[in-house]
Amino acid sequence: MSGYDDSFWNDFVGEYDSISWELAERVHAWMQNYISQHAGVDISGDVSAAEEARLNSYFSDAGNVSAYWNAVLASDWYAEYMELFDNWDDWDDDWDDDLLGSDNLIQSYIDDANVPVTGALADQLYDWVAGYLQTTGVNILDGVDESEIYTLESHFSSPSNIQSFIDSMESTSWFDKWKAVYDKGLAEGSIGYNDFIFADYLDSDDVQLWDDDGALWDAQIKRADGDVIEAEEAQLYRAYSGAMGRLPDEDGYNWWLGEIEAGRRDLNSMAAGFVGSDEFKGLSDANDDGVVSNAEFVTHMYEGVFERAPDQAGFDYWVGELDSGRYSQSEALVAMTQSDEYVQKTYVAVADMLFL
Protein backbone atom coordinates (compact mmCIF):
# COMPACT_ATOMS: atom_id res chain seq x y z
CA MET A 1 0.00 0.00 0.00
CA SER A 2 1.26 3.47 -0.77
CA GLY A 3 2.70 5.40 2.13
CA TYR A 4 0.60 8.13 3.70
CA ASP A 5 -0.57 9.16 7.13
CA ASP A 6 -3.28 6.68 8.10
CA SER A 7 -4.71 9.12 10.65
CA PHE A 8 -5.93 11.33 7.81
CA TRP A 9 -8.25 8.64 6.48
CA ASN A 10 -9.19 7.45 9.97
CA ASP A 11 -11.12 10.71 10.37
CA PHE A 12 -13.38 9.62 7.51
CA VAL A 13 -13.78 5.84 7.81
CA GLY A 14 -12.26 4.84 11.12
CA GLU A 15 -9.33 2.50 11.67
CA TYR A 16 -8.11 0.20 8.88
CA ASP A 17 -8.80 -2.89 11.01
CA SER A 18 -10.80 -5.46 9.01
CA ILE A 19 -10.77 -3.35 5.82
CA SER A 20 -8.99 -5.07 2.98
CA TRP A 21 -5.95 -3.26 1.68
CA GLU A 22 -7.53 -3.31 -1.77
CA LEU A 23 -10.66 -1.56 -0.51
CA ALA A 24 -8.65 0.91 1.56
CA GLU A 25 -6.56 1.77 -1.51
CA ARG A 26 -9.71 2.24 -3.58
CA VAL A 27 -11.33 4.45 -0.97
CA HIS A 28 -8.22 6.55 -0.55
CA ALA A 29 -7.83 6.97 -4.31
CA TRP A 30 -11.43 8.12 -4.50
CA MET A 31 -10.82 10.59 -1.71
CA GLN A 32 -7.70 11.98 -3.36
CA ASN A 33 -9.55 12.43 -6.63
CA TYR A 34 -12.58 14.09 -5.01
CA ILE A 35 -10.50 16.56 -3.01
CA SER A 36 -8.37 17.38 -6.04
CA GLN A 37 -11.37 17.96 -8.30
CA HIS A 38 -13.57 19.90 -5.91
CA ALA A 39 -11.19 21.65 -3.49
CA GLY A 40 -8.17 21.92 -5.77
CA VAL A 41 -5.81 20.29 -3.25
CA ASP A 42 -3.54 17.28 -3.81
CA ILE A 43 -3.57 15.24 -0.59
CA SER A 44 -1.34 12.45 -1.93
CA GLY A 45 1.68 14.11 -0.36
CA ASP A 46 2.35 16.75 2.28
CA VAL A 47 -0.35 19.42 2.53
CA SER A 48 0.89 22.99 2.88
CA ALA A 49 -0.61 25.56 5.24
CA ALA A 50 -2.17 27.36 2.27
CA GLU A 51 -3.71 24.11 0.98
CA GLU A 52 -5.03 23.28 4.42
CA ALA A 53 -6.62 26.74 4.58
CA ARG A 54 -8.25 26.04 1.21
CA LEU A 55 -9.64 22.76 2.58
CA ASN A 56 -10.85 24.56 5.71
CA SER A 57 -12.68 27.07 3.56
CA TYR A 58 -14.17 24.44 1.26
CA PHE A 59 -15.54 22.20 4.02
CA SER A 60 -16.83 25.11 6.13
CA ASP A 61 -19.58 25.47 3.50
CA ALA A 62 -22.59 23.31 4.41
CA GLY A 63 -23.43 22.89 0.73
CA ASN A 64 -19.98 21.45 0.03
CA VAL A 65 -20.25 19.11 3.01
CA SER A 66 -23.64 17.90 1.77
CA ALA A 67 -22.29 17.39 -1.76
CA TYR A 68 -19.33 15.43 -0.37
CA TRP A 69 -21.56 13.06 1.59
CA ASN A 70 -23.88 12.59 -1.37
CA ALA A 71 -20.84 11.66 -3.46
CA VAL A 72 -19.64 9.23 -0.78
CA LEU A 73 -23.03 7.54 -0.68
CA ALA A 74 -23.09 7.26 -4.48
CA SER A 75 -19.52 5.97 -4.82
CA ASP A 76 -18.63 2.52 -6.17
CA TRP A 77 -17.06 1.50 -2.86
CA TYR A 78 -19.62 2.69 -0.29
CA ALA A 79 -21.97 -0.31 -0.44
CA GLU A 80 -19.02 -2.68 -0.07
CA TYR A 81 -17.69 -0.62 2.82
CA MET A 82 -21.06 -0.64 4.59
CA GLU A 83 -21.42 -4.38 4.12
CA LEU A 84 -18.08 -4.86 5.85
CA PHE A 85 -19.03 -2.29 8.47
CA ASP A 86 -22.22 -4.19 9.36
CA ASN A 87 -20.27 -7.43 9.80
CA TRP A 88 -17.17 -6.23 11.67
CA ASP A 89 -17.95 -7.84 15.00
CA ASP A 90 -14.69 -6.89 16.70
CA TRP A 91 -14.70 -3.32 15.41
CA ASP A 92 -18.43 -2.89 16.04
CA ASP A 93 -18.08 -4.06 19.64
CA ASP A 94 -15.43 -1.44 20.35
CA TRP A 95 -17.45 1.23 18.57
CA ASP A 96 -20.65 0.26 20.39
CA ASP A 97 -18.85 0.41 23.73
CA ASP A 98 -17.88 3.98 22.95
CA LEU A 99 -21.42 4.93 21.98
CA LEU A 100 -23.46 3.24 24.68
CA GLY A 101 -24.41 6.00 27.12
CA SER A 102 -26.00 9.32 26.30
CA ASP A 103 -22.97 11.61 26.60
CA ASN A 104 -20.72 9.58 24.32
CA LEU A 105 -23.45 9.10 21.75
CA ILE A 106 -24.31 12.78 21.64
CA GLN A 107 -20.62 13.62 21.31
CA SER A 108 -20.28 11.18 18.43
CA TYR A 109 -22.74 13.33 16.52
CA ILE A 110 -21.94 16.83 17.71
CA ASP A 111 -18.67 17.07 19.60
CA ASP A 112 -15.06 17.82 18.69
CA ALA A 113 -12.51 19.06 21.19
CA ASN A 114 -11.08 21.62 18.77
CA VAL A 115 -14.30 23.50 18.05
CA PRO A 116 -15.10 26.36 20.45
CA VAL A 117 -18.60 26.76 21.89
CA THR A 118 -19.75 27.95 25.30
CA GLY A 119 -21.20 25.48 27.76
CA ALA A 120 -24.56 27.23 27.57
CA LEU A 121 -24.68 26.98 23.79
CA ALA A 122 -23.48 23.37 23.86
CA ASP A 123 -26.41 22.54 26.15
CA GLN A 124 -28.82 23.98 23.57
CA LEU A 125 -27.18 21.93 20.84
CA TYR A 126 -27.19 18.72 22.86
CA ASP A 127 -30.89 19.18 23.64
CA TRP A 128 -31.74 19.92 20.02
CA VAL A 129 -29.83 16.94 18.63
CA ALA A 130 -31.37 14.63 21.24
CA GLY A 131 -34.82 15.92 20.28
CA TYR A 132 -34.13 15.59 16.57
CA LEU A 133 -32.89 12.01 16.88
CA GLN A 134 -36.12 11.09 18.66
CA THR A 135 -37.79 11.48 15.24
CA THR A 136 -35.88 8.32 14.26
CA GLY A 137 -37.47 6.48 17.18
CA VAL A 138 -34.30 6.56 19.27
CA ASN A 139 -34.05 8.37 22.61
CA ILE A 140 -30.33 8.81 23.10
CA LEU A 141 -30.76 10.34 26.55
CA ASP A 142 -31.82 6.97 27.98
CA GLY A 143 -28.81 5.09 26.64
CA VAL A 144 -28.70 3.25 23.34
CA ASP A 145 -28.60 -0.46 22.58
CA GLU A 146 -27.18 -2.11 19.47
CA SER A 147 -30.50 -2.19 17.61
CA GLU A 148 -30.94 1.56 18.16
CA ILE A 149 -27.40 2.23 16.94
CA TYR A 150 -28.27 0.30 13.80
CA THR A 151 -31.45 2.38 13.44
CA LEU A 152 -29.40 5.57 13.55
CA GLU A 153 -26.84 4.20 11.10
CA SER A 154 -29.60 3.23 8.68
CA HIS A 155 -31.33 6.58 9.01
CA PHE A 156 -28.19 8.57 8.27
CA SER A 157 -27.16 6.38 5.35
CA SER A 158 -29.87 8.18 3.34
CA PRO A 159 -28.76 11.39 1.56
CA SER A 160 -32.25 12.86 1.98
CA ASN A 161 -32.17 12.22 5.73
CA ILE A 162 -28.74 13.81 6.00
CA GLN A 163 -30.01 16.83 4.08
CA SER A 164 -33.11 17.04 6.30
CA PHE A 165 -30.86 17.03 9.36
CA ILE A 166 -28.74 19.84 7.91
CA ASP A 167 -31.80 21.87 6.85
CA SER A 168 -33.40 21.48 10.28
CA MET A 169 -30.18 22.43 12.04
CA GLU A 170 -29.72 25.56 9.91
CA SER A 171 -33.25 26.73 10.78
CA THR A 172 -32.75 26.60 14.55
CA SER A 173 -32.40 29.62 16.80
CA TRP A 174 -28.88 28.61 17.83
CA PHE A 175 -27.36 27.87 14.43
CA ASP A 176 -26.28 31.45 13.66
CA LYS A 177 -24.60 31.63 17.06
CA TRP A 178 -22.75 28.38 16.43
CA LYS A 179 -21.84 29.45 12.87
CA ALA A 180 -20.27 32.63 14.25
CA VAL A 181 -18.22 30.54 16.69
CA TYR A 182 -17.22 28.10 13.96
CA ASP A 183 -16.18 30.86 11.56
CA LYS A 184 -14.17 32.53 14.30
CA GLY A 185 -12.36 29.30 15.12
CA LEU A 186 -11.78 28.62 11.43
CA ALA A 187 -10.26 32.07 10.94
CA GLU A 188 -8.02 31.55 13.96
CA GLY A 189 -6.88 28.18 12.65
CA SER A 190 -8.23 26.28 15.66
CA ILE A 191 -10.59 24.14 13.54
CA GLY A 192 -9.68 21.74 10.75
CA TYR A 193 -11.75 21.09 7.64
CA ASN A 194 -12.78 17.62 8.85
CA ASP A 195 -13.82 18.75 12.35
CA PHE A 196 -17.48 18.53 13.21
CA ILE A 197 -19.13 20.61 15.88
CA PHE A 198 -19.49 21.62 19.48
CA ALA A 199 -17.17 21.65 22.46
CA ASP A 200 -16.63 24.08 25.29
CA TYR A 201 -14.60 27.21 24.55
CA LEU A 202 -15.32 28.94 27.83
CA ASP A 203 -16.44 26.70 30.65
CA SER A 204 -19.52 28.34 32.19
CA ASP A 205 -18.21 27.44 35.65
CA ASP A 206 -15.22 29.72 35.02
CA VAL A 207 -17.23 32.75 33.87
CA GLN A 208 -18.25 34.99 36.76
CA LEU A 209 -20.40 38.06 37.36
CA TRP A 210 -18.54 40.64 39.43
CA ASP A 211 -21.19 42.59 41.30
CA ASP A 212 -20.48 44.88 44.25
CA ASP A 213 -23.82 46.63 44.76
CA GLY A 214 -26.51 43.97 44.33
CA ALA A 215 -27.61 45.35 40.95
CA LEU A 216 -26.52 43.00 38.19
CA TRP A 217 -27.10 45.39 35.30
CA ASP A 218 -23.81 47.19 36.01
CA ALA A 219 -21.78 44.08 36.91
CA GLN A 220 -18.52 43.24 35.19
CA ILE A 221 -18.05 39.76 33.71
CA LYS A 222 -14.85 37.82 34.27
CA ARG A 223 -14.11 35.49 31.36
CA ALA A 224 -12.59 32.03 31.77
CA ASP A 225 -9.32 33.33 30.32
CA GLY A 226 -9.13 36.03 33.02
CA ASP A 227 -10.12 38.99 30.83
CA VAL A 228 -12.86 41.25 32.15
CA ILE A 229 -15.88 42.50 30.20
CA GLU A 230 -16.69 45.98 31.48
CA ALA A 231 -20.25 46.84 32.46
CA GLU A 232 -20.81 49.17 29.46
CA GLU A 233 -19.62 46.48 27.05
CA ALA A 234 -21.96 43.89 28.56
CA GLN A 235 -24.93 46.29 28.67
CA LEU A 236 -24.60 47.14 24.99
CA TYR A 237 -24.16 43.49 24.02
CA ARG A 238 -27.32 42.53 25.94
CA ALA A 239 -29.27 45.31 24.26
CA TYR A 240 -28.35 43.96 20.83
CA SER A 241 -29.20 40.41 21.79
CA GLY A 242 -32.51 41.16 23.48
CA ALA A 243 -33.84 43.83 21.13
CA MET A 244 -32.53 42.59 17.78
CA GLY A 245 -32.44 38.87 18.48
CA ARG A 246 -28.99 38.46 16.97
CA LEU A 247 -25.28 38.82 17.53
CA PRO A 248 -24.04 42.41 17.17
CA ASP A 249 -22.22 43.43 14.03
CA GLU A 250 -18.78 44.42 15.23
CA ASP A 251 -18.60 47.82 13.52
CA GLY A 252 -21.99 48.90 14.86
CA TYR A 253 -21.20 47.62 18.33
CA ASN A 254 -17.87 49.43 18.46
CA TRP A 255 -19.45 52.68 17.24
CA TRP A 256 -22.12 52.63 19.94
CA LEU A 257 -19.58 51.64 22.60
CA GLY A 258 -17.31 54.51 21.59
CA GLU A 259 -20.23 56.94 21.83
CA ILE A 260 -21.18 55.67 25.29
CA GLU A 261 -17.62 55.64 26.63
CA ALA A 262 -17.06 59.19 25.30
CA GLY A 263 -20.20 60.38 27.12
CA ARG A 264 -21.98 61.45 23.95
CA ARG A 265 -24.62 58.75 24.43
CA ASP A 266 -26.02 56.69 27.26
CA LEU A 267 -28.01 53.48 27.37
CA ASN A 268 -31.34 55.26 26.91
CA SER A 269 -30.24 57.23 23.85
CA MET A 270 -28.67 54.09 22.42
CA ALA A 271 -31.96 52.25 23.01
CA ALA A 272 -33.83 55.09 21.30
CA GLY A 273 -31.60 54.57 18.28
CA PHE A 274 -32.47 50.86 18.27
CA VAL A 275 -36.21 51.47 18.64
CA GLY A 276 -36.18 53.96 15.78
CA SER A 277 -34.23 51.71 13.43
CA ASP A 278 -35.77 50.05 10.39
CA GLU A 279 -34.43 46.71 11.61
CA PHE A 280 -36.24 46.94 14.93
CA LYS A 281 -39.46 48.09 13.29
CA GLY A 282 -39.26 45.21 10.85
CA LEU A 283 -38.94 42.77 13.74
CA SER A 284 -41.66 44.19 15.99
CA ASP A 285 -44.27 45.79 13.70
CA ALA A 286 -46.49 42.71 13.56
CA ASN A 287 -49.32 44.26 11.51
CA ASP A 288 -46.87 46.02 9.19
CA ASP A 289 -48.60 49.39 9.46
CA GLY A 290 -45.36 51.33 9.90
CA VAL A 291 -45.94 51.99 13.62
CA VAL A 292 -44.74 49.84 16.52
CA SER A 293 -47.60 49.94 19.01
CA ASN A 294 -46.92 49.48 22.70
CA ALA A 295 -48.57 46.06 22.56
CA GLU A 296 -46.37 45.04 19.63
CA PHE A 297 -43.30 46.38 21.42
CA VAL A 298 -44.00 44.41 24.61
CA THR A 299 -44.70 41.20 22.68
CA HIS A 300 -41.46 41.53 20.70
CA MET A 301 -39.35 42.27 23.76
CA TYR A 302 -40.76 39.33 25.70
CA GLU A 303 -39.93 37.04 22.79
CA GLY A 304 -36.40 38.46 22.52
CA VAL A 305 -35.52 38.72 26.20
CA PHE A 306 -37.61 36.02 27.88
CA GLU A 307 -37.96 33.78 24.79
CA ARG A 308 -41.70 33.36 25.29
CA ALA A 309 -44.97 35.15 24.70
CA PRO A 310 -45.83 37.60 27.49
CA ASP A 311 -47.97 36.37 30.34
CA GLN A 312 -51.12 38.43 30.74
CA ALA A 313 -50.02 40.14 33.95
CA GLY A 314 -46.64 41.10 32.51
CA PHE A 315 -48.19 42.24 29.25
CA ASP A 316 -50.77 44.40 31.03
CA TYR A 317 -48.12 45.93 33.31
CA TRP A 318 -45.74 46.97 30.56
CA VAL A 319 -48.41 48.19 28.17
CA GLY A 320 -49.87 50.20 31.04
CA GLU A 321 -46.49 51.73 31.87
CA LEU A 322 -45.94 52.68 28.24
CA ASP A 323 -49.47 53.99 27.67
CA SER A 324 -49.22 56.15 30.79
CA GLY A 325 -45.91 57.66 29.73
CA ARG A 326 -44.10 56.46 32.83
CA TYR A 327 -41.81 54.57 30.47
CA SER A 328 -40.86 55.27 26.88
CA GLN A 329 -40.20 52.31 24.62
CA SER A 330 -36.46 52.97 24.76
CA GLU A 331 -36.54 53.07 28.58
CA ALA A 332 -38.52 49.83 28.64
CA LEU A 333 -35.97 48.25 26.28
CA VAL A 334 -33.20 49.14 28.71
CA ALA A 335 -35.16 47.90 31.72
CA MET A 336 -35.84 44.52 30.11
CA THR A 337 -32.43 43.88 28.57
CA GLN A 338 -30.63 44.91 31.77
CA SER A 339 -32.93 43.05 34.16
CA ASP A 340 -31.39 40.65 36.66
CA GLU A 341 -33.17 37.78 34.90
CA TYR A 342 -31.66 38.61 31.52
CA VAL A 343 -28.20 39.29 32.96
CA GLN A 344 -28.20 35.88 34.66
CA LYS A 345 -29.49 34.22 31.52
CA THR A 346 -26.94 35.70 29.12
CA TYR A 347 -23.71 36.47 30.97
CA VAL A 348 -21.88 33.34 29.75
CA ALA A 349 -22.80 34.12 26.13
CA VAL A 350 -21.85 37.79 26.62
CA ALA A 351 -18.44 36.67 27.87
CA ASP A 352 -17.73 35.15 24.45
CA MET A 353 -18.13 38.54 22.73
CA LEU A 354 -18.99 36.96 19.36
CA PHE A 355 -19.98 39.12 16.42
CA LEU A 356 -21.59 38.66 13.04
Side-chain angles (χ1 to χ4, degrees):
M1 186 173 186
S2 58
Y4 53 83
D5 183 1
D6 288 355
S7 65
F8 177 86
W9 184 240
N10 291 348
D11 289 331
F12 293 88
V13 298
E15 300 291 343
Y16 279 112
D17 295 347
S18 300
I19 305 177
S20 69
W21 291 115
E22 184 276 331
L23 177 58
E25 285 277 20
R26 192 148 44 96
V27 172
H28 188 72
W30 180 93
M31 182 68 182
Q32 285 180 318
N33 183 61
Y34 187 93
I35 294 297
S36 177
Q37 281 189 342
H38 296 273
V41 175
D42 180 3
I43 62 172
S44 62
D46 293 336
V47 177
S48 69
E51 289 173 323
E52 185 167 346
R54 192 181 309 159
L55 288 172
N56 289 344
S57 177
Y58 181 82
F59 282 105
S60 68
D61 185 305
N64 290 340
V65 173
S66 177
Y68 165 77
W69 283 113
N70 287 335
V72 167
L73 296 172
S75 67
D76 60 0
W77 54 262
Y78 182 74
E80 183 178 346
Y81 169 82
M82 284 306 297
E83 183 178 356
L84 286 170
F85 180 88
D86 288 339
N87 291 286
W88 289 344
D89 292 336
D90 292 340
W91 190 87
D92 278 350
D93 287 343
D94 292 340
W95 190 67
D96 293 349
D97 288 343
D98 287 340
L99 291 183
L100 293 175
S102 62
D103 288 343
N104 285 339
L105 185 61
I106 291 174
Q107 289 173 2
S108 73
Y109 280 93
I110 64 173
D111 190 30
D112 188 285
N114 293 328
V115 184
V117 176
T118 64
L121 180 54
D123 286 344
Q124 292 181 50
L125 309 184
Y126 289 162
D127 289 344
W128 180 84
V129 170
Y132 184 90
L133 293 181
Q134 285 185 358
T135 64
T136 69
V138 176
N139 182 1
I140 62 176
L141 296 179
D142 291 339
V144 179
D145 60 28
E146 292 186 8
S147 66
E148 290 173 317
I149 290 174
Y150 182 78
T151 296
L152 291 173
E153 292 170 3
S154 299
H155 181 81
F156 285 104
S157 68
S158 164
S160 62
N161 289 341
I162 292 173
Q163 190 60 53
S164 293
F165 174 83
I166 292 171
D167 291 343
S168 297
M169 181 173 66
E170 290 180 344
S171 68
T172 62
S173 60
W174 51 260
F175 182 78
D176 286 343
K177 297 177 183 178
W178 169 75
K179 186 66 165 56
V181 174
Y182 185 92
D183 288 345
K184 182 180 182 219
L186 200 62
E188 293 172 349
S190 60
I191 306 175
Y193 62 89
N194 59 346
D195 287 334
F196 201 35
I197 35 183
F198 317 145
D200 289 345
Y201 181 53
L202 296 175
D203 187 331
S204 59
D205 292 339
D206 294 330
V207 180
Q208 299 174 4
L209 281 169
W210 283 358
D211 166 45
D212 59 3
D213 61 5
L216 297 183
W217 77 279
D218 61 353
Q220 297 173 310
I221 301 173
K222 184 188 78 67
R223 290 164 47 101
D225 59 10
D227 288 347
V228 175
I229 307 297
E230 297 298 333
E232 293 84 357
E233 297 173 288
Q235 291 160 1
L236 178 57
Y237 200 97
R238 284 192 294 268
Y240 264 99
S241 176
M244 302 304 192
R246 63 169 173 82
L247 297 174
D249 56 286
E250 193 162 10
D251 288 344
Y253 175 89
N254 287 334
W255 185 86
W256 279 110
L257 183 62
E259 291 292 293
I260 291 171
E261 289 179 339
R264 292 186 291 269
R265 309 266 183 159
D266 59 15
L267 271 179
N268 284 326
S269 59
M270 175 274 299
F274 279 18
V275 169
S277 69
D278 290 340
E279 179 180 1
F280 185 85
K281 290 176 182 177
L283 292 169
S284 54
D285 183 12
N287 63 7
D288 201 25
D289 65 355
V291 177
V292 179
S293 69
N294 289 333
E296 289 173 328
F297 173 86
V298 171
T299 299
H300 170 72
M301 291 303 299
Y302 261 79
E303 290 172 348
V305 173
F306 304 115
E307 296 185 340
R308 59 178 171 83
D311 59 281
Q312 194 61 53
F315 179 83
D316 291 343
Y317 169 80
W318 278 110
V319 171
E321 293 294 287
L322 292 164
D323 285 347
S324 71
R326 286 187 290 271
Y327 276 85
S328 65
Q329 289 186 357
S330 59
E331 290 169 335
L333 185 152
V334 171
M336 291 183 178
T337 59
Q338 310 309 320
S339 65
D340 283 359
E341 178 179 352
Y342 197 56
V343 173
Q344 289 278 17
K345 179 180 176 181
T346 59
Y347 76 93
V348 174
V350 172
D352 284 347
M353 281 283 141
L354 299 175
F355 298 95
L356 292 177

